[in-house]
Amino acid sequence: MAGRPGYVTVPILSVLAAIGYVYYTTVFLAIPAWLGLATAAGIANVVAFTALAAACVATYAAAISRDPGRVPTAFVPDVEDSDSPIHEIKRKGGDLRYCQKCSHYKPPRAHHCRVCRRCVLRMDHHCIWINNCVGHENYKIFLVFVLYAVIASLYSLVLIIGGAVHSLPKNEQLGSDSSRTSIIICGVILCPLALALTILLGWHVYLIFHNKTTIEYHEGVRAMWLAEKAGNLYHHPYDLGVYENLISVLGPNIFCWLCPVSSNTGNGIRFRTSYDIPLSTPPI
């Protein structure tokens, strides 16, 4: 049972505590100090930020509980299948990729996670903050959570700055000093948090545009170096063009791209490659 996704850990409790602290400071301290809870602007911001915080918690819970994708025990690569132009092989020996710990073959883009103690389909990385791997089945949910978290952090930072500025001349009110201190502390915490989340979001947007995982990016750097050393050019085989790459991760319905549901294409075992695209198809 070790490594099973869904267990509540200290990092998960830390994230939930941070969300609760930011929500309390923003809604009950910053907004009242700036806009007031009795005004239309104050109520509107409370409702909007509450909805955004609820979306963060919901997508975070989904990323924790959703299985990233299991390799079927009966999976065996068919090297004679003409519909599968690419079969990933080991670096040494050139054999088909086989997991000795799980005792089965690895589909393309699958990797073994030492923490979860099993192979994960289209594994991107293991995230300690969700106590789960980010893989084929929950990558979009993880991405949407990070997007909502970035928006919520920036939104809260604006409200907290406004609350801190407008609470300065109100030091004659009882308890205003402690409220102002809490607002300032929350702002100090939010600045590096928002920056880190924004960088994380930008990194995964870059990966999606090129249809890569974090593991494939680092493997691609080495492959590119080896190709250049041999006088060849390296091309990531799963890069289908920006639009097709977005569809493969976010789903075919553009109106559902920001919905916290896993609507990616494929079963995680067979992936379209650039070799599947006819030569007459114009590049995107």
Side-chain angles (χ1 to χ4, degrees):
M1 300 291 288
R4 178 181 175 183
Y7 283 117
V8 177
T9 59
V10 173
I12 291 178
L13 293 177
S14 300
V15 172
L16 294 176
I19 293 175
Y21 176 68
V22 171
Y23 177 79
Y24 171 80
T25 305
T26 303
V27 172
F28 296 100
L29 298 180
I31 293 179
W34 183 14
L35 304 171
L37 293 180
T39 63
I43 295 175
N45 279 276
V46 168
V47 172
F49 189 77
T50 300
L52 191 56
C56 287
V57 174
T59 52
Y60 184 61
I64 293 172
S65 58
R66 184 66 180 265
D67 193 285
R70 293 180 177 271
V71 178
T73 55
F75 170 77
V76 177
D78 186 1
V79 295
E80 297 181 355
D81 184 7
S82 59
D83 293 332
S84 298
I86 290 182
H87 294 281
E88 296 180 355
I89 59 177
K90 295 181 180 179
R91 293 178 182 175
K92 296 182 179 180
D95 298 328
L96 293 173
R97 298 167 65 239
Y98 185 85
C99 182
Q100 299 292 342
K101 297 181 179 179
C102 297
S103 300
H104 60 61
Y105 287 98
K106 295 180 183 179
R109 315 182 81 177
H111 295 274
H112 184 86
C113 177
R114 291 178 294 179
V115 180
C116 296
R117 298 183 180 179
R118 64 183 179 89
C119 290
V120 176
L121 296 176
R122 196 187 180 274
M123 179 178 173
D124 186 90
H125 70 286
H126 182 89
C127 181
I128 63 171
W129 300 106
I130 63 174
N131 188 32
N132 199 1
C133 273
V134 179
H136 177 72
E137 295 294 337
N138 66 345
Y139 183 82
K140 178 190 172 182
I141 296 175
F142 172 80
L143 179 71
V144 172
F145 162 69
V146 175
L147 175 62
Y148 287 162
V150 168
I151 297 174
S153 298
L154 297 177
Y155 188 12
S156 176
L157 196 57
V158 171
L159 294 174
I160 283 177
I161 292 175
V165 171
H166 286 76
S167 65
L168 291 177
K170 299 180 180 180
N171 52 8
E172 72 276 1
Q173 296 183 3
L174 183 63
S176 61
D177 290 339
S178 60
S179 298
R180 191 184 310 118
T181 301
S182 298
I183 293 174
I184 293 175
I185 292 176
C186 187
V188 171
I189 295 175
L190 268 178
C191 286
L193 180 61
L195 178 61
L197 288 173
T198 303
I199 294 175
L200 179 62
L201 177 63
W203 166 248
H204 281 283
V205 169
Y206 166 81
L207 292 178
I208 290 176
F209 280 174
H210 295 82
N211 204 354
K212 294 181 180 180
T213 64
T214 300
I215 296 176
E216 289 171 348
Y217 171 82
H218 293 291
E219 290 179 342
V221 172
R222 182 178 183 273
M224 185 179 300
W225 176 77
L226 292 175
E228 291 179 353
K229 186 177 181 181
N232 300 321
L233 293 177
Y234 171 78
H235 173 72
H236 184 58
Y238 302 105
D239 189 355
L240 308 175
V242 175
Y243 181 70
E244 292 293 335
N245 293 342
L246 289 171
I247 289 178
S248 65
V249 175
L250 303 179
N253 190 347
I254 190 173
F255 298 103
C256 296
W257 280 4
L258 300 183
C259 296
V261 294
S262 182
S263 58
N264 47 4
T265 58
N267 55 8
I269 298 177
R270 170 74 167 88
F271 294 93
R272 287 184 62 200
T273 67
S274 56
Y275 302 100
D276 298 324
I277 302 177
L279 296 178
S280 59
T281 303
I284 299 178

